[in-house]
Amino acid sequence: MKEQLEALQADALQRIAATETIRELQDIKVAYLGKKGSLTGVLRGMGKLSKEERPVVGEIANHVRTAITTALEEKTEKLEQAELEKQLEEETIDVTLPGRPVKVGGPHLLTNIVQEIEDLFIGMGYEVREGPEVETDYFNFEALNLPKNHPARDMQDSFYITNELLLRTHTSPVQARTMQEYNGEKPFKMICPGKVYRRDTDDATHSHQFTQIEGLYVDKNVRMSDLKGTLDKFAKKMFGEDREIRLRPSFFPFTEPSVEMDISCKVCDGKGCSVCKGTGWIEILGGGMVHPKVLEMGGYDPEVYSGFAFGMGPERIAMLKYGVNDIRNFYANDIRFLKQYHKA
Amino acid sequence: MLVSYNWLKKYVDLGNLTPEELAAKITKSGIEVEGVEYVAEKSTNVVVGYVESCEKHPDADKLNLCQVDVGEEKLQIICGAPNVAQGQKVAVAKPGAVLPGNFKIKKVKLRGIESNGMICSLKELGIEEKYIPTDIADGIFVFPEEATVGEPVDELLNLNDAVLELDVLANRADALSMLGIAYEVAAILDQPVKLPDEAVQVEESATVANYVSVEVEAAELNPYYGAFMIKDVEIKPSPLWMRNYLMAAGIRPINNVVDITNYVLLEYGQPLHAFDYDRFGSEKIVVRRAKHDETLTTLDGQERILTDENLVITNGKEPVALAGVMGGLDSEVASETTNVLLEAAYFDAITVRKTVKQTGLRSESSTRFEKGVDPNRVRKAGARACLLLQQYAGGKVIAGTAEFDRLDRTEKVVEIDTPHINNRLGTEMTTDDIASILKRLQFDYKQDDDHFTVHVPTRRGDITLFEDMLEEVARIYGYDNLPFTLPEGAGQSGGLTVRQHLKRRVKNFVQGAGLMETLTYSLTNERDVKRLISPEVASSAASPVALAMPMSEDHKYLRLSILPELLNVLSYNRARSQVNLGYYEMGSIFISGQNELSEQPDEQLRISGALTGIWSEQAWQQEKKEVDFYVVKGIVEGLFDFLQIPVTYSQTKVTDMHPGRCAVVKVADKTVGFIGQLHPTLQKQLDLKETYVFDLNLEEVFAAYDAVPSFTAIPKYPSIARDIAFILDKNVHAGDVKKVIEEVGAPLVNRVDIFDLYQGDNLEEGKKSIAYSLLYQHPEKTLKDEEVEESYQKIIAAVNEKFNAYVRS
């Protein structure tokens, strides 16, 4: 019987080795190890053996079973592997064909600039506030130390709707509104971005509608050097750590002292070129210490509180930062323009 | 304000500073110098020549043959100028000279005769045409007799002078005068100011009272009026140096009397006016408000119709000048004038400003009165002009001034102290530093330890408060010397509000969905303001908000919808061959329920989109796909899904929209906007292909937004999917059927999706098939097949009953 079993094993292993498909392997498994298989058939004859012979033959039978099973598994795995490789080979694609197109949208350049400035000041503890675009004469002018007939009102000829209502000429009314809301009691830092309107004929450098961002900080003991330090941080983050700033005296009715801030020209690094008109400096924004009358009208006691304010035009910043040469580009919305900057 | 460098040197020692260096210093201290220009481009080899003889060219009518003595030599020059004559001293460009524009002068032959140089006009020497006196606009310039033959002309004509263009802001009225600039520069350079001579020798034989009296009826508008009398003047050109300075300052010389009033205006910042005494019409000056509809013909020949807002100078009968703005034509100084009545007055700034606005007449005079002149310089300016008229017009100045005087000339007093200044600036200045700054500014003060009582000169009318003095101190100290510090206050937590965050998220979403953001104008025209208004806006808005005085018809009304401008943007791009577009804008529209606006309109935040052309490009094994209703709806659905706000759509007709392809969008039964295709007629008008839009009221959307949704447990039990296809009448809306499925299936049916639509061959005429996929799920148990089946049958029955629908097998 032993010889019988060994012959069976040899026969099985030979057939397994010769097989090339998984299906045949399954057939072999059934043929040898199945209920009606050869091995089972041989083992059925075990009953005829003597008591002593049985364990010996049993052990041999187990060896044979294990040998066939192992051979089957190994061969299956080998064939499966080969099949997978064949499949992968067949599945190979041309990776240089283009991907399925995704529609690409994006923000307007000015939105990017505004958000960048917002985030920068939020990082310094500022809140962002908004206000109406149709303003009252009071908030747009009077509360900002610009009484009726003030010559500085000429600086920003306005679109009036009625005698008392107009399109805001700057975002400063949001400052006045914020002071009134905080009732002269609470120190605060805020910036206010938004659309503003002035009676200008649209050309390469003028637009009857444009964007502004202003900032205001009111507290006890605010110093002009704080304004200088804050603007320096802003300029370096916005235009590069290697930029220098310079403050120049200026005039705005709502600040005293007033400043204008220049940054060193990036094109010539301050040496003087056509971009900075040979001065080495480029004007970026205006600001100053909040005028005592403005504080007072906002409900803050100018003897106790002081503050600084500043304002800038994102269009101008975009023009300087990216070399956009005509302000009308921002409002024409030519797709070829927008696409240049939506990642900015 | 144009400031001549050479003229400024008369008042302040400028040391070795170049004009450009001076400009940089002035800019840094507070008055921006916008540019430095030279009176003329450099020329070489141009000298004074004496025309010894001048004859007609034998072969040319319009040419003259001149023999000119230029000092070292005599030159034969052919000159075409009509005004050349024997005995003149003229500017001669010698052979080898180079004139502006790199114009090289050579010996030439003109009609057979040699010409060795050129006799020059001011224009040829590089002076701007608009400043050249009109009588020599077409001719050569003639020097006064005292000019030395052979002397280079550039210095004589001030050609190499630099002109600083100062941008003087509203507060610095003092900087609209050479003296004001002199004080400014003196403070910057720490130098004294040399003041001009005002001492005039008067004729004591008569007094002004013999000639004229002054009466002011509107003292509040004219607190000071002074009249000087100058007899026997001779009208001629003013001295060359004065003409040079006027031209450098941008004023065209006219004659000595007019030039002198202009010169003193520039020097003192005090406007003056010279009347021809003999044409004045009376011996009495009366200043009053104009009468309604009274007329005056001003110097420019225009008849002005006046109102009682205007102040006029009259001769007691009729207006002879518009106070502070412009004189009248009838009493103008002309070539035959011999007696001059000179006005030096102080007019109210606001009145002058109103008159300027009303008449559109802006003059050198009005510019200064509008900003306020120095009350202590009015009389001085008058005296200075009298002196110059005596010197350069041969006039006899009659003793005395006819005056009306209620002018306040007191100096403002401002208290400052060292600690306060340092606290506000963040500096560590000493009391001595501050004292030295006050000295440089030439402000009088009394010092008590670290406290200063400053008497601000009246020329600096802008300084009234501590903060004004703070600025003076800071700017002379130098803004560059301020330290850099950051606020020390405890501050607050900054950041965005929920609404601001939401705005950013909504933008990010639609951008991610493929739309490009635009920014368009809020002001629009009459046609567009009526277009594409969302139904809920149309029902609450009265007439659109209009500007009182629009600049153009294009920008007249505040928009009631963002869409019309977006469509204009599509047209604009289409005209530039950009045809596949998806745009959106987030911004305000302006709604007022009032026809006559008495309060601010409601500013409603909306988001609108417009899409046209191909949405999915053709690619390998992929068909291109045009934008259609469902592309737009997909974006809107996605947005609401993202914000987790339930929303419904129902077919509606909206003006300007395709009647069969438009839906209003509702949140909790409230209309928040619409989506759909533009009406084909409008598309055609705008030269657009099929275009789809959406427009949503973000105020309502944000109101429905739940910022902090409470946690809902993720379902633990398995779900069971069932599909079902109904045969329906064509006009049944898929959404209505879905709603019934949801209602009847609740609470077991968790989700219903529409996954197929079929209309075609195998169906009865007028029918369609819509397939729904249902997801059954129970939060607390595994559903049994029987439960699902029961619900499923109920749904079929309900849909069958409601829509006469049956299940497609």
Side-chain angles (χ1 to χ4, degrees):
Chain A
M1 216 171 165
K2 186 184 163 197
E3 294 74 25
Q4 208 180 341
L5 281 169
E6 277 165 356
L8 191 144
Q9 177 178 345
D11 185 40
L13 294 181
Q14 196 186 354
R15 277 187 63 189
I16 290 168
T19 303
E20 284 307 325
T21 70
I22 289 173
R23 226 190 122 140
E24 275 176 41
L25 282 178
Q26 278 162 354
D27 293 344
I28 293 170
K29 189 176 177 183
V30 173
Y32 288 89
L33 305 177
K35 280 183 185 167
K36 292 174 187 171
S38 319
L39 183 61
T40 322
V42 174
L43 290 179
R44 233 174 246 137
M46 289 260 285
K48 294 173 192 160
L49 293 178
S50 68
K51 223 174 172 184
E52 293 75 29
E53 274 178 316
R54 250 185 244 166
V56 179
V57 174
E59 205 187 320
I60 294 169
N62 276 339
H63 275 296
V64 172
R65 176 182 288 275
T66 310
I68 295 174
T69 309
T70 309
L72 276 170
E73 279 171 2
E74 279 171 6
K75 185 76 188 195
T76 306
E77 200 186 319
K78 200 177 154 198
L79 288 182
E80 274 175 357
Q81 187 60 34
E83 204 159 285
L84 180 65
E85 268 162 29
K86 194 176 156 216
Q87 185 195 343
L88 293 179
E89 173 71 32
E90 281 166 1
E91 282 174 3
T92 299
I93 54 164
D94 179 355
V95 297
T96 63
L97 279 169
R100 300 287 165 218
V102 168
K103 200 80 183 169
V104 179
H108 193 278
L109 173 56
L110 288 176
T111 300
N112 279 336
I113 298 271
V114 169
Q115 284 193 6
E116 188 177 350
I117 297 170
E118 280 177 354
D119 292 344
L120 212 148
F121 280 100
I122 286 170
M124 291 196 265
Y126 286 69
E127 53 177 335
V128 179
R129 295 185 71 96
E130 289 155 294
E133 291 169 38
V134 176
E135 260 299 356
T136 60
D137 187 85
Y138 176 79
F139 278 113
N140 194 72
F141 288 127
E142 297 203 24
L144 299 162
N145 195 29
L146 275 155
K148 291 208 159 73
N149 286 311
H150 191 289
R153 281 198 183 193
D154 261 4
M155 288 157 69
Q156 38 192 15
D157 263 357
S158 340
F159 287 117
Y160 273 90
I161 294 163
T162 67
N163 281 337
E164 291 305 319
L165 294 176
L166 73 159
L167 296 185
R168 65 178 177 191
T169 57
H170 43 197
T171 51
S172 316
V174 186
Q175 301 190 4
R177 285 176 178 276
T178 305
M179 281 193 272
Q180 291 204 351
E181 193 181 316
Y182 287 150
N183 214 13
E185 287 158 5
K186 197 181 144 190
F188 66 90
K189 287 183 194 158
M190 65 86 130
I191 55 162
C192 44
K195 292 172 189 161
V196 300
Y197 306 84
R198 290 187 195 172
R199 288 187 81 85
D200 274 323
T201 305
D202 298 339
D203 61 23
T205 53
H206 297 86
S207 181
H208 74 276
Q209 174 184 321
F210 57 101
T211 322
Q212 226 183 28
I213 297 188
E214 293 187 36
L216 173 65
Y217 169 42
V218 175
D219 203 341
K220 290 170 185 164
N221 298 318
V222 180
R223 301 159 298 183
M224 195 162 162
S225 54
D226 296 336
L227 171 64
K228 193 171 173 182
T230 300
L231 293 180
D232 187 53
K233 282 252 177 299
F234 160 76
K236 288 190 159 66
K237 289 235 172 179
M238 197 76 199
F239 296 99
E241 289 297 326
D242 51 346
R243 291 303 98 205
E244 301 279 316
I245 70 156
R246 136 180 126 165
L247 299 188
R248 279 183 291 111
S250 188
F251 169 70
F252 305 106
F254 20 87
T255 48
E256 189 75 33
S258 298
V259 308
E260 231 149 346
M261 185 190 87
D262 302 334
I263 58 164
S264 54
C265 179
K266 199 162 192 160
V267 178
C268 61
D269 207 17
K271 288 181 197 78
C273 65
S274 63
V275 174
C276 57
K277 292 182 198 150
T279 62
W281 296 96
I282 289 179
E283 192 178 314
I284 296 290
L285 58 78
M289 303 302 289
V290 183
H291 196 285
K293 283 186 190 156
V294 174
L295 282 172
E296 211 171 285
M297 277 183 279
Y300 285 83
D301 181 354
E303 296 293 319
V304 181
Y305 285 92
S306 54
F308 65 66
F310 54 85
M312 64 192 104
E315 279 89 347
R316 180 168 172 76
I317 289 173
M319 289 168 96
L320 288 172
K321 206 168 164 173
Y322 301 107
V324 179
N325 60 3
D326 189 324
I327 198 169
R328 287 170 293 198
N329 279 319
F330 297 112
Y331 296 95
N333 297 296
D334 189 311
I335 188 74
R336 293 161 298 179
F337 173 79
L338 297 177
K339 275 189 173 167
Q340 286 178 47
Y341 294 108
H342 61 60
K343 65 175 188 303
Chain B
M1 174 83 183
L2 298 176
V3 176
S4 148
Y5 180 86
N6 286 344
W7 189 359
L8 186 63
K9 272 201 302 204
K10 304 273 177 215
Y11 312 109
V12 196
D13 183 356
L14 301 176
N16 294 323
L17 285 179
T18 64
E20 289 77 12
E21 287 164 350
L22 176 66
K25 280 183 185 286
I26 295 175
T27 295
K28 265 176 85 170
S29 301
I31 300 171
E32 192 181 347
V33 181
E34 290 186 320
V36 177
E37 301 276 345
Y38 286 77
V39 166
E41 234 182 279
K42 207 165 171 47
S43 51
T44 56
N45 251 329
V46 188
V47 299
V48 177
Y50 178 72
V51 182
E52 291 188 329
S53 69
C54 177
E55 294 157 16
K56 283 263 168 272
H57 187 295
D59 293 323
D61 278 354
K62 291 190 173 162
L63 296 179
N64 301 293
L65 182 59
C66 305
Q67 302 299 329
V68 186
D69 177 4
V70 292
E72 300 148 1
E73 55 184 328
K74 287 187 181 149
L75 299 172
Q76 171 172 291
I77 297 173
I78 295 177
C79 177
N83 64 331
V84 66
Q86 187 270 327
Q88 286 173 336
K89 286 187 176 165
V90 294
V92 179
K94 299 196 282 188
V98 181
L99 295 181
N102 200 23
F103 178 32
K104 292 184 180 113
I105 302 300
K106 295 177 201 144
K107 290 185 181 182
V108 288
K109 268 192 176 171
L110 288 172
R111 297 270 170 126
I113 299 181
E114 201 169 87
S115 180
N116 301 319
M118 185 169 98
I119 303 179
C120 304
S121 68
L122 290 182
K123 189 181 165 193
E124 283 155 347
L125 290 172
I127 291 184
E128 260 194 82
E129 225 169 335
K130 60 181 174 188
Y131 303 143
I132 298 173
T134 43
D135 55 336
I136 55 162
D138 302 322
I140 52 160
F141 178 76
V142 181
F143 285 98
E145 277 173 34
E146 61 269 23
T148 314
V149 168
E151 193 183 346
V153 301
D154 33 7
E155 201 156 313
L156 267 178
L157 286 171
N158 197 39
L159 295 177
N160 45 20
D161 192 7
V163 179
L164 281 61
E165 192 187 333
L166 270 58
D167 181 20
V168 177
L169 299 178
N171 62 329
R172 292 300 301 273
D174 63 300
L176 292 175
S177 66
M178 292 304 292
L179 283 179
I181 305 289
Y183 277 110
E184 176 76 7
V185 171
I188 296 167
L189 303 179
D190 199 3
Q191 289 286 331
V193 174
K194 285 168 267 178
L195 294 175
D197 189 6
E198 293 152 6
V200 60
Q201 286 287 320
V202 294
E203 299 285 323
E204 300 286 359
S205 55
T207 72
V208 163
N210 301 122
Y211 296 92
V212 72
S213 65
V214 171
E215 206 178 300
V216 174
E217 291 177 5
E220 72 285 3
L221 306 185
N222 180 203
Y224 178 83
Y225 195 99
F228 299 83
M229 185 67 203
I230 304 96
K231 289 200 67 180
D232 302 334
V233 299
E234 185 197 344
I235 303 292
K236 56 181 182 181
S238 56
L240 184 54
W241 61 264
M242 187 181 285
R243 278 182 277 162
N244 287 341
Y245 287 160
L246 288 176
M247 285 192 282
I251 290 181
R252 188 202 296 260
I254 294 172
N255 60 43
N256 51 358
V257 175
V258 175
D259 289 358
I260 286 167
T261 58
N262 282 332
Y263 180 80
V264 176
L265 171 141
L266 292 173
E267 191 175 39
Y268 283 66
Q270 169 64 46
L272 302 171
H273 185 67
F275 295 101
D276 183 331
Y277 177 74
D278 301 306
R279 291 161 69 204
F280 190 74
S282 81
E283 293 179 0
K284 193 163 86 172
I285 295 169
V286 179
V287 185
R288 60 165 168 80
R289 282 176 187 275
K291 291 170 190 154
H292 205 71
D293 286 341
E294 202 168 14
T295 60
L296 168 68
T297 304
T298 42
L299 281 177
D300 54 5
Q302 299 262 347
E303 182 173 272
R304 310 280 169 182
I305 300 163
L306 309 173
T307 73
D308 60 2
E309 294 263 277
N310 309 127
L311 187 71
V312 286
I313 317 302
T314 74
N315 55 15
K317 295 169 286 221
E318 58 199 9
V320 293
L322 201 47
V325 179
M326 198 175 266
L329 191 64
D330 291 346
S331 54
E332 185 189 17
V333 169
S335 55
E336 66 279 6
T337 299
T338 52
N339 298 316
V340 169
L341 183 61
L342 182 76
E343 162 197 295
Y346 187 101
F347 297 118
D348 169 58
I350 292 173
T351 309
V352 172
R353 199 175 133 75
K354 278 185 187 161
T355 302
V356 167
K357 275 210 152 177
Q358 179 196 320
T359 58
L361 264 177
R362 178 156 273 139
S363 61
E364 292 283 346
S365 294
S366 66
T367 305
R368 286 168 177 79
F369 280 123
E370 274 183 71
K371 291 181 177 167
V373 297
D374 178 359
N376 275 311
R377 233 183 247 165
V378 192
R379 281 187 178 129
K380 289 179 180 175
R384 171 77 172 149
C386 286
L387 174 68
L388 295 172
L389 286 167
Q390 189 177 51
Q391 288 175 333
Y392 301 107
K396 296 188 184 101
V397 179
I398 304 299
T401 317
E403 279 189 339
F404 171 87
D405 184 16
R406 285 193 203 161
L407 187 58
D408 179 8
R409 295 181 178 82
T410 50
E411 292 176 338
K412 290 266 170 7
V413 174
V414 179
E415 309 282 342
I416 60 172
D417 62 76
T418 312
H420 200 183
I421 297 253
N422 281 329
N423 280 346
R424 283 295 160 87
L425 296 180
T427 48
E428 288 171 2
M429 271 186 251
T430 64
T431 300
D432 284 350
D433 290 338
I434 293 169
S436 113
I437 287 171
L438 294 175
K439 280 185 197 129
R440 285 166 68 170
L441 288 164
Q442 305 195 34
F443 287 6
D444 289 337
Y445 61 89
K446 290 199 184 71
Q447 189 178 347
D448 178 11
D449 196 14
D450 60 6
H451 183 99
F452 300 85
T453 303
V454 182
H455 293 262
V456 182
T458 49
R459 64 186 147 84
R460 292 301 305 275
D462 57 314
I463 300 174
T464 57
L465 303 172
F466 166 79
E467 285 74 10
D468 300 324
M469 272 313 301
L470 186 69
E471 180 173 78
E472 286 305 296
V473 172
R475 68 188 191 88
I476 300 300
Y477 178 71
Y479 282 13
D480 280 354
N481 298 320
L482 295 178
F484 292 89
T485 61
L486 286 175
E488 285 171 356
Q492 64 189 14
S493 55
L496 297 176
T497 61
V498 171
R499 181 188 161 93
Q500 287 160 351
H501 271 300
L502 264 181
K503 277 164 73 173
R504 286 195 182 185
R505 288 198 183 133
V506 168
K507 282 185 176 189
N508 286 343
F509 179 86
V510 292
Q511 283 158 193
L515 300 188
M516 193 67 80
E517 188 187 19
T518 62
L519 265 178
T520 60
Y521 297 135
S522 308
L523 287 169
T524 185
N525 58 37
E526 183 152 12
R527 183 195 77 181
D528 284 348
V529 80
K530 292 177 183 155
R531 267 184 186 162
L532 292 158
I533 302 172
S534 191
E536 87 284 8
V537 174
S539 64
S540 60
S543 46
V545 177
L547 296 181
M549 284 191 300
M551 286 178 75
S552 74
E553 290 297 316
D554 274 345
H555 307 303
K556 190 172 177 182
Y557 296 98
L558 281 167
R559 63 185 178 188
L560 276 167
S561 169
I562 297 169
L563 287 172
E565 268 300 309
L566 268 189
L567 298 178
N568 291 340
V569 168
L570 295 190
S571 299
Y572 177 94
N573 277 282
R574 214 185 128 67
R576 286 155 184 79
S577 308
Q578 305 298 313
V579 292
N580 304 320
L581 301 160
Y583 273 143
Y584 87 94
E585 179 167 335
M586 186 189 289
S588 293
I589 63 163
F590 303 80
I591 307 169
S592 174
Q594 302 175 304
N595 279 321
E596 295 285 324
L597 213 62
S598 68
E599 54 194 43
Q600 285 159 278
D602 176 26
E603 293 182 24
Q604 189 183 82
L605 187 72
R606 294 185 84 91
I607 186 167
S608 306
L611 294 78
T612 187
I614 294 163
W615 190 246
S616 306
E617 297 287 345
Q618 178 168 13
W620 51 282
Q621 295 177 352
Q622 181 178 302
E623 297 271 306
K624 69 177 175 188
K625 182 157 176 16
E626 307 260 340
V627 173
D628 64 16
F629 181 89
Y630 300 104
V631 167
V632 177
K633 190 177 178 188
I635 293 172
V636 173
E637 278 176 332
L639 176 63
F640 282 103
D641 192 27
F642 168 72
L643 296 171
Q644 297 188 322
I645 297 170
V647 63
T648 58
Y649 303 83
S650 46
Q651 191 125 23
T652 320
K653 288 186 171 56
V654 171
T655 323
D656 302 317
M657 296 294 286
H658 188 304
R661 294 181 176 179
C662 180
V664 291
V665 183
K666 288 183 180 178
V667 171
D669 281 342
K670 211 167 189 177
T671 301
V672 299
F674 65 99
I675 58 174
Q677 188 196 334
L678 282 193
H679 199 290
T681 317
L682 181 56
Q683 280 171 182
K684 208 172 156 192
Q685 241 184 71
L686 296 171
D687 198 19
L688 292 171
K689 289 275 159 76
E690 259 186 44
T691 300
Y692 291 85
V693 300
F694 68 87
D695 175 43
L696 301 171
N697 175 355
L698 286 178
E699 307 290 349
E700 291 294 345
V701 173
F702 290 174
Y705 171 78
D706 182 5
V708 195
S710 54
F711 176 71
T712 309
I714 310 298
K716 274 189 283 195
Y717 299 93
S719 57
I720 297 172
R722 283 289 182 95
D723 292 347
I724 183 168
F726 289 110
I727 309 280
L728 298 151
D729 285 344
K730 254 190 178 154
N731 55 6
V732 172
H733 284 171
D736 295 342
V737 175
K738 182 182 170 197
K739 216 165 150 190
V740 169
I741 299 173
E742 283 167 343
E743 279 165 16
V744 176
L748 299 185
V749 175
N750 213 278
R751 193 190 157 112
V752 181
D753 289 311
I754 297 169
F755 72 90
D756 196 23
L757 165 71
Y758 180 78
Q759 324 181 56
D761 289 349
N762 302 327
L763 291 177
E764 246 178 86
E765 182 78 11
K767 297 277 182 189
K768 63 181 174 187
S769 158
I770 298 176
Y772 295 84
S773 97
L774 284 55
L775 196 73
Y776 282 92
Q777 192 162 41
H778 195 283
E780 279 145 20
K781 61 175 188 181
T782 303
L783 284 172
K784 289 182 194 136
D785 273 351
E786 305 85 76
E787 289 173 287
V788 171
E789 186 57 27
E790 192 193 332
S791 158
Y792 187 71
Q793 291 305 333
K794 260 164 75 182
I795 288 167
I796 291 170
V799 172
N800 175 271
E801 192 197 342
K802 193 127 191 193
F803 303 104
N804 189 27
Y806 52 93
V807 177
R808 191 178 178 200
S809 45

